[in-house]
Amino acid sequence: MSVTAVHILQVGACRHPEIMSRRGGHLCPVDFPALVGLIVHESWGPILFDTGYDRRFFTATEPFPERLYRLATPVSLPEQPLEDQLKTYGYAPDDIAAVVVSHFHGDHVAGLTRFTQARIFCARAGLEATRRGSRFTRVRQGLLGALVPEDIDRRATFFEVLPPEALGDDLAPFTHGVDLCGDGSLIAVELPGHCKGHWGLWVPQARLFFIGDAAWSLDAVEDNVPPPALTTGLLGHTATYRATLTALNALSKRGRVEIIPSHCARTAGKWVRHG
């Protein structure tokens, strides 16, 4: 295994009532940071887990019905775009070797077209969802086709075609994943329920488990409190989401792994470097 560094960047945020992300939460609007993983691999170079927000999000949500997405979850862009944040670590967009896409919601792939040289690891099921149904249906599901690179079919490696491998005891009760780099350093793990083609990323050397939107906060994982069925049913499948969250809760109780949700303010406060 050859991961030499892991950084977590905040690339924008959205704002909506807490109750939409946690059953029993309050109605007051809460900021949800969009967190991105920058993982430096000894052989591959820099690899991203998701991209967060990008100014292309506003271009993609200018027409109707896509504008409904912008209205439902007001977005604030970062003071420093992702490409500028990468410069502080010595990287340009063309240096990024790969982007691991947790899923195709706009807050996770808005910057994907910036990385024209990167290999894209993603779920075929997630990509296919961006191409099915009406524009209104896709917006309701949080999908914006304009954010998907036109050449993604040429550059994509789909999780589903990689051979499953047994995970070690550290990630129990999760049992299987797929090895992205061929050396056991980055393992994609399916975390179903939030939407079609939703996966996380296990970094064994750093003992970090990026879980995307399988939970919106560490508190939700530790308390095993899901979003209301209105939210999970709108985007994905409620029973499956709750089963995944229960498994994450069991994992968190063992204390062997640090869980990284993509929108957790507590995680951002610990990991994100400012200035």
Side-chain angles (χ1 to χ4, degrees), residues 33-100:
L35 301 181
V36 170
L38 170 60
I39 302 154
V40 183
H41 189 279
E42 187 175 36
S43 301
W44 284 57
I47 296 171
L48 293 176
F49 179 75
D50 290 335
T51 70
Y53 283 110
D54 181 272
R55 56 191 178 273
R56 283 184 60 88
F57 176 84
F58 289 99
T59 303
T61 56
E62 185 62 31
F64 185 86
E66 287 78 10
R67 181 172 281 267
L68 295 172
Y69 191 150
R70 191 196 305 187
L71 296 173
T73 56
V75 169
S76 57
L77 293 178
E79 292 183 9
Q80 280 192 313
L82 178 54
E83 55 264 39
D84 290 347
Q85 295 189 49
L86 292 174
K87 288 178 185 177
T88 67
Y89 295 96
Y91 302 119
D94 285 353
D95 295 326
I96 300 301
V99 179
V100 181

Side-chain angles (χ1 to χ4, degrees), residues 6-9 206 208 258 260 266-273:
V6 178
H7 309 284
I8 298 177
L9 316 177
L208 297 176
E258 182 162 0
I260 309 291
R266 196 169 123 202
T267 300
K270 175 179 178 178
W271 279 92
V272 175
R273 186 175 78 180

Side-chain angles (χ1 to χ4, degrees), residues 60-61 66 69 103-106 109 125-132 134-148 195-196 235:
T61 56
E66 287 78 10
Y69 191 150
H103 61 298
F104 282 90
H105 286 167
V109 296
L127 178 59
E128 289 177 349
T130 70
R131 297 166 172 171
R132 282 201 306 266
S134 67
R135 287 167 60 194
F136 181 82
T137 297
R138 294 195 295 270
V139 169
R140 182 182 63 78
Q141 296 171 343
L143 302 171
L144 298 168
L147 300 178
V148 179
C195 65
K196 292 185 182 299
L235 298 172

Side-chain angles (χ1 to χ4, degrees), residues 95-274:
D95 295 326
I96 300 301
V99 179
V100 181
V101 175
S102 65
H103 61 298
F104 282 90
H105 286 167
D107 50 336
H108 294 261
V109 296
L112 192 56
T113 59
R114 304 284 178 193
F115 303 99
T116 59
Q117 305 304 309
R119 188 170 175 178
I120 298 172
F121 289 101
C122 64
R124 186 193 300 274
L127 178 59
E128 289 177 349
T130 70
R131 297 166 172 171
R132 282 201 306 266
S134 67
R135 287 167 60 194
F136 181 82
T137 297
R138 294 195 295 270
V139 169
R140 182 182 63 78
Q141 296 171 343
L143 302 171
L144 298 168
L147 300 178
V148 179
E150 293 182 358
D151 63 348
I152 192 170
D153 293 290
R154 176 180 63 81
R155 291 196 282 142
T157 297
F158 296 118
F159 301 135
E160 295 95 330
V161 304
L162 297 173
E165 298 188 7
L167 296 169
D169 183 61
D170 284 343
L171 217 62
F174 298 95
T175 59
H176 288 81
V178 295
D179 187 347
L180 301 185
C181 296
D183 60 2
S185 62
L186 295 177
I187 308 296
V189 179
E190 188 174 13
L191 299 173
H194 174 63
C195 65
K196 292 185 182 299
H198 183 272
W199 290 61
L201 184 67
W202 167 227
V203 187
Q205 193 170 345
R207 307 189 73 76
L208 297 176
F209 190 22
F210 291 86
I211 65 164
D213 287 359
W216 273 285
S217 69
L218 281 173
D219 288 346
V221 172
E222 293 167 358
D223 299 339
N224 198 14
V225 177
L230 174 65
T231 300
T232 51
L234 186 69
L235 298 172
H237 188 268
T238 296
T240 307
Y241 182 100
R242 293 181 177 180
T244 296
L245 181 62
T246 296
L248 287 168
N249 172 261
L251 175 64
S252 73
K253 289 179 177 177
R254 303 179 72 210
R256 297 184 180 184
V257 170
E258 182 162 0
I259 294 172
I260 309 291
S262 288
H263 302 298
C264 179
R266 196 169 123 202
T267 300
K270 175 179 178 178
W271 279 92
V272 175
R273 186 175 78 180
H274 297 283

